[in-house]
């Protein structure tokens, strides 16, 4: 009874306030006389993916013709509320939520096919995504788990034209966003900051997105201190507040079995405590909406439509309380017409009068301007200019890229302002590779890759790769462009490797050899945009070989010296190496050793490796093929092992010619938390290939062609793709596999 009585009192108070603000006949002219009705504020809380429920609430408010005079938001509430206050329609917001690839937004870097070619090459060398900054003052982690580029591009697409850099005090509706000072813990109300920066700052979720510096203050997600800023709305003159709370509820004990779960619960506790304080600030006439979002979590971006639907249902459930706030349809149409941003003007291409860049760090501004691809004299639209500037994120060492565009007398001047990521100029990547067939083929490797960028004004890079395990290797390369931003480069390199391998005869192990190889090389190359390169060079190497199994008393170590001339052409546009949805990979090489053949004769070897993405709505995978040929001796590629004639012993098939092809397809069945990895898949492979000798007639080589297949479970981890599978070769062996590392 007490609850019913309290609710009745609130309803009476609300009606009294409405009567006081709306005298007889006010409903007819409420759209033109602001004093004739109460000022209504919409307060939208943070909640990550749960915040899409705000869009459902806005949809119902539009249908009921409830005008919004003030908007206040935190985190995702700031994104939705800021765009709405700037003039975005509800349909625009729905389109943003539905069409944005949120998995890319919360990923730890840009999509792979948007990276510079050298960054893609690093994935081939070491697929791990575990990186640290290494400097004189110690080792540092990246400031966030997710990159800035995808998030900022998504926010840029959401905002109406011309509002990105508009101070929030000059929007169509008064708007406030709340962030948290990372150094003091105090709430920060963003009043006169540009809209884009305001939204970006409030959404800087600790551990997910990097902090933002606003007016000399380092700020992060406002949900830590004020996730439902009701008091801000009252301070801005709101008579009635419609508060929408979509914060993540506290998890039960059964979900707190991991360190990650406990850390998330601590953040939820901090958020829930300040929300409870804000709820006490609600006045009798205010309205609270709490959509039932069920199990949708903070980062559960696969359920956009369910979240929007939950917000819609919550608003409809309180339609009786919202209806008295409505105005006449004609007046609401006028109100919305003033709020909505005008249609974007035609983005005409103008000639570029000047293209300049600036950098706050070691990176040469001339290099940035050249790498953007923009040149004085060419014509470009605003969208093309911003897209060209955004490609600089693909370098991997920039924290932020901002573009100032100034049109004067029919010409366009562009200034690209780049902020260097301090940790990324000296990076250490750590990788782990494991392989087992649950029998006698087991291997492991701990791999490290160090990259030092912008060593000099022309943008030289030093890259070192080291592996410890079944194979020991160390290599270092200096990559030196021949000018600031030049596509031409030279790359001297040193390499050492030590390993052992089995020699097979008729599919059986005959002996095991130990190898030591030292080499020095010099490469001249040209980058082909961001998608490939062409290179040629010379390599001098010394190799020693000895029999290690069976161990013989009179084992002799054989030494060989060789000089190799090579030409190599590479293309890489894949968005993922394991299960790409788009792109191709091509690596074609031709080598010639003047004395590397039998009896000291000249030897020529060639190889081609190609892979193309295969993608449907529910399936992803690749079509892969390779071919290799040697003028004498063995081809430079071998077959055997998981996905390389599964079921056949690893590296057991060779010949003067190698041919192989496979189809790999997998269906998504789940996902790990973004901080741990990615998609979980179930899939299969179909494989065929073999080693051939071109001196033997083709009919006699049919038995050399083998067919194989596998079934597997795959998980995208931060070390790279992990597989648990079973494979078999037709009329041959079958085995189980555990694999962590590169498979392509």
């Amino acid at each position: 009874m007490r609850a019913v009585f309290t609710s009745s009192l609130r309803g009476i108070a609300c009606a009294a306030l409405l009567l006081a603000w709306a005298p007889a006949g006010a409903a007819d002219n409420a759209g033109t006389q602001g004093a004739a009705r109460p000022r209504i504020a919409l307060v939208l809380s943070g909640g990550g993916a749960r915040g899409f429920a705000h869009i459902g609430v806005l949809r119902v408010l539009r249908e009921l013709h409830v005008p919004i005079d003030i908007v206040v938001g935190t985190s995702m509430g700031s994104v939705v509320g800021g765009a709405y206050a700037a003039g975005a329609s509800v349909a625009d917001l729905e389109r943003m939520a539905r069409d944005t690839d949120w998995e890319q937004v919360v990923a730890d870097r840009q999509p792979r096919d948007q990276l510079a070619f050298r960054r893609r090459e690093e994935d081939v060398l070491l697929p791990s995504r575990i990186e640290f900054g290494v400097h004189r003052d110690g080792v540092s982690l990246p400031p966030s788990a997710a990159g800035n580029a995808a998030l900022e591009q998504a926010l840029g697409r959401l905002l109406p034209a011309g509002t990105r850099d508009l101070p929030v005090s000059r929007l169509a509706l008064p708007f406030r966003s709340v962030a948290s000072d990372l150094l003091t813990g105090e709430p920060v109300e963003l009043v006169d900051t540009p809209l884009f920066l305001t939204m970006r700052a409030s959404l800087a979720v600790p551990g997910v997105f990097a902090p933002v510096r606003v007016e000399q203050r380092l700020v992060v997600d406002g949900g830590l201190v004020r996730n439902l800023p009701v008091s801000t709305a009252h301070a801005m003159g709101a008579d009635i507040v419609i508060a929408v709370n979509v914060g993540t509820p506290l998890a039960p004990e059964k979900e707190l079995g991991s360190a990650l779960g406990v850390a998330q619960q601590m953040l939820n506790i901090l958020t829930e405590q300040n929300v409870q304080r804000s709820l006490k600030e609600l006045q009798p006439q205010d309205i609270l909406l709490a959509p039932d979002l069920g199990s949708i979590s903070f980062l559960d971006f696969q359920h956009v439509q369910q979240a929007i639907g939950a917000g819609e249902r919550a608003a409809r459930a309180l339609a009786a309380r919202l209806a008295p706030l409505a105005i006449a349809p004609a007046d609401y149409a006028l109100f919305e017409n003033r709020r909505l941003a005008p249609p974007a003007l035609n983005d005409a291409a103008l000639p570029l009068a000047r293209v300049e860049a600036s950098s706050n760090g070691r990176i040469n501004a001339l290099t940035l301007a050249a790498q953007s691809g923009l040149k004085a004299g060419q014509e470009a639209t605003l969208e093309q200019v911003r897209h060209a500037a955004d490609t600089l994120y693909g370098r991997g060492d920039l924290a932020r890229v901002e573009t100032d565009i100034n049109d004067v007398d029919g010409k366009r001047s562009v200034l690209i302002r780049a902020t260097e990521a301090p940790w990324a100029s000296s990076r250490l990547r750590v990788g782990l590779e494991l392989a087992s067939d649950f029998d006698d083929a087991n291997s492991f490797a701990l791999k490290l890759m160090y990259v030092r960028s912008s060593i000099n004004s022309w943008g030289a890079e030093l890259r070192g790769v080291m592996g410890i395990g079944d194979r020991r290797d160390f290599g270092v390369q200096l990559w030196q462009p021949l000018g600031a931003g030049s596509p031409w480069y030279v790359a001297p390199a040193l390499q050492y490797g030590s390993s052992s391998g089995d020699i097979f005869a008729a599919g059986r192990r005959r002996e095991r050899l130990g190898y030591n190889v030292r080499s020095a090389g010099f490469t001249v190359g040209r980058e082909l945009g961001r998608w490939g390169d062409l290179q040629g060079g010379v390599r001098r190497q010394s190799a020693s070989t000895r029999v290690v199994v069976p161990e013989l008393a009179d084992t002799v170590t054989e030494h060989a010296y060789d000089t190799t001339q090579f030409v190599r052409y590479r293309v890489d546009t894949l968005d993922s190496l394991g299960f790409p949805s788009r792109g191709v990979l091509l690596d074609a090489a031709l080598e010639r050793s003047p004395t590397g053949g039998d009896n000291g004769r000249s030897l020529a070897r060639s190889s081609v490796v190609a892979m193309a993405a295969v993608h449907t709505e529910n399936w992803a995978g690749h079509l892969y093929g390779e071919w290799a040929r040697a003028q004498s001796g063995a081809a430079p590629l071998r077959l055997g092992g998981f996905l390389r004639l599964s079921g056949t012993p690893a590296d057991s098939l060779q010949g003067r010619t190698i041919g192989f092809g496979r189809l790999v397809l997998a269906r998504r069945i789940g996902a790990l938390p973004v901080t741990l990895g990615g998609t979980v898949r179930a899939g299969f492979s179909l494989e065929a290939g073999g080693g051939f000798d071109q001196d033997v007639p083709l009919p006699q080589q049919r038995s050399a062609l083998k067919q194989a297949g596998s079934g597997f479970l795959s998980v995208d981890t931060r070390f790279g793709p992990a597989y648990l599978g079973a494979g078999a070769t037709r009329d041959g062996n079958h085995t189980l596999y555990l694999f962590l590392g590169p498979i392509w």
Side-chain angles (χ1 to χ4, degrees), residues 28 161 164 183 253 368 397 454 536 554 570 595 623 645 701:
D28 294 333
R164 176 188 174 102
L183 301 181
E253 183 178 353
L368 295 174
D397 56 1
S454 298
D554 57 347
R570 297 183 294 175
T595 59
L623 185 64
L645 293 180
Q701 299 194 58

Side-chain angles (χ1 to χ4, degrees), residues 685-732:
S685 70
L686 300 175
E687 310 156 36
F692 310 95
D693 189 338
Q694 52 264 43
D695 293 336
V696 178
L698 183 61
Q700 299 179 22
Q701 299 194 58
R702 291 178 179 174
S703 60
L705 179 65
K706 297 182 178 297
Q707 301 174 40
S710 71
F712 57 81
L713 290 175
S714 172
V715 181
D716 288 338
T717 74
R718 298 189 66 80
F719 281 110
Y723 300 84
L724 177 62
T729 301
R730 184 176 182 181
D731 300 327

Side-chain angles (χ1 to χ4, degrees), residues 86-439:
S89 67
V90 175
D92 291 335
L93 295 170
E94 291 178 354
R95 193 178 305 110
M96 174 275 296
R98 182 181 63 251
D99 296 345
T100 299
D101 188 341
W102 291 102
E103 287 191 4
Q104 288 187 2
V105 169
V106 299
D108 54 352
R109 67 174 187 181
Q110 279 188 289
R112 186 175 180 276
D113 55 352
Q114 295 181 21
L115 298 176
F117 183 74
R118 280 189 64 79
R119 303 290 83 83
R120 304 182 204 187
E121 185 182 24
E122 290 173 6
D123 286 350
V124 177
L125 295 172
L126 185 57
S128 172
R129 300 199 307 274
I130 299 178
E131 288 190 325
F132 306 91
V134 181
H135 301 276
R136 292 180 180 177
D137 54 354
V139 176
S140 62
L141 290 169
S144 64
N148 293 331
L151 170 65
E152 296 185 357
Q153 290 169 16
L155 294 180
R157 289 191 297 268
L158 169 63
L159 296 178
T163 63
R164 176 188 174 102
D165 299 318
L166 201 64
V168 294
S169 57
R170 294 174 51 194
L171 299 181
L173 298 178
F175 172 65
R176 289 289 185 276
S177 178
V178 178
S180 307
D181 190 311
L182 190 57
L183 301 181
T184 67
E186 298 175 348
V188 179
E189 290 189 7
L190 304 173
V191 179
D192 289 318
T193 52
L195 175 60
F196 178 84
L197 186 61
T198 299
M199 295 164 59
R200 173 66 181 84
S202 187
L203 195 58
V205 181
V208 180
F209 298 115
V212 176
R213 190 167 297 279
V214 179
E215 297 177 355
Q216 307 308 314
R217 304 180 75 170
L218 196 63
V219 301
V220 294
D221 188 339
L224 297 177
V225 292
R226 194 172 295 168
N227 201 46
L228 189 67
V230 172
S231 60
T232 301
H234 285 145
M236 293 176 67
D239 300 315
I240 295 177
V241 169
I242 301 174
V244 187
N245 181 26
V246 297
T248 306
L250 299 181
E253 183 178 353
K254 64 180 181 180
E255 297 180 13
L256 303 179
S258 66
L260 182 65
V262 172
Q264 183 64 48
Q265 184 81 332
M266 292 173 63
L267 291 176
N268 291 344
I269 289 173
L270 292 174
T271 302
E272 184 61 24
Q273 287 178 341
N274 74 66
V275 166
Q276 291 302 318
R277 290 193 295 270
S278 294
L279 292 178
K280 294 177 182 179
E281 297 168 350
L282 290 171
Q283 299 176 5
Q285 71 273 18
D286 296 337
I287 300 172
L288 174 65
L289 283 75
D292 182 5
L293 291 157
S295 61
I296 299 177
S297 67
F298 184 87
L299 294 174
D300 198 357
F301 288 99
Q302 284 95 31
H303 297 93
V304 170
Q305 288 301 133
Q306 292 92 320
I308 293 176
E312 188 174 352
R313 289 190 296 274
R316 294 194 190 283
L318 291 178
R321 291 198 62 192
L322 293 170
L325 304 178
I327 60 178
D331 294 327
Y332 185 81
L334 290 174
F335 185 90
E336 274 288 274
N337 187 59
R338 290 195 297 269
R339 182 191 70 82
L340 291 173
L345 298 176
N346 181 36
D347 188 5
L350 294 178
L352 300 180
R354 187 175 70 253
V355 177
E356 297 179 344
S358 66
S359 169
N360 70 330
R362 300 161 52 92
I363 304 172
N364 189 337
L366 295 177
T367 298
L368 295 174
Q371 290 177 341
S372 73
L374 298 173
K375 298 179 181 179
Q378 76 180 84
E379 292 189 347
T381 65
L382 295 174
E383 179 64 26
Q384 289 171 336
V385 169
R386 292 195 178 100
H387 176 74
D390 286 342
T391 62
L392 295 175
Y393 278 116
R395 292 173 47 95
D397 56 1
L398 296 179
R400 175 159 295 105
V401 177
E402 299 172 285
T403 310
D404 296 335
I405 304 173
N406 187 24
D407 295 345
V408 178
D409 297 330
K411 292 187 177 181
R412 181 161 287 159
S413 297
V414 177
L415 172 61
I416 300 172
R417 293 183 287 116
T419 302
E420 185 176 342
W423 76 274
S425 62
S426 179
R427 297 179 288 115
L428 179 67
R429 181 180 294 192
V430 180
L432 182 66
E433 296 180 4
L434 298 172
S436 175
D437 65 355
F438 298 94
D439 195 0

Side-chain angles (χ1 to χ4, degrees), residues 563-586:
T563 300
T564 302
Q565 303 154 359
F566 64 89
V567 176
R568 192 177 185 190
Y569 175 63
R570 297 183 294 175
V571 174
D572 186 352
T573 61
L574 295 175
D575 63 340
S576 168
L577 288 174
F579 300 96
S581 60
R582 58 183 179 271
V584 297
L585 181 145
L586 175 67

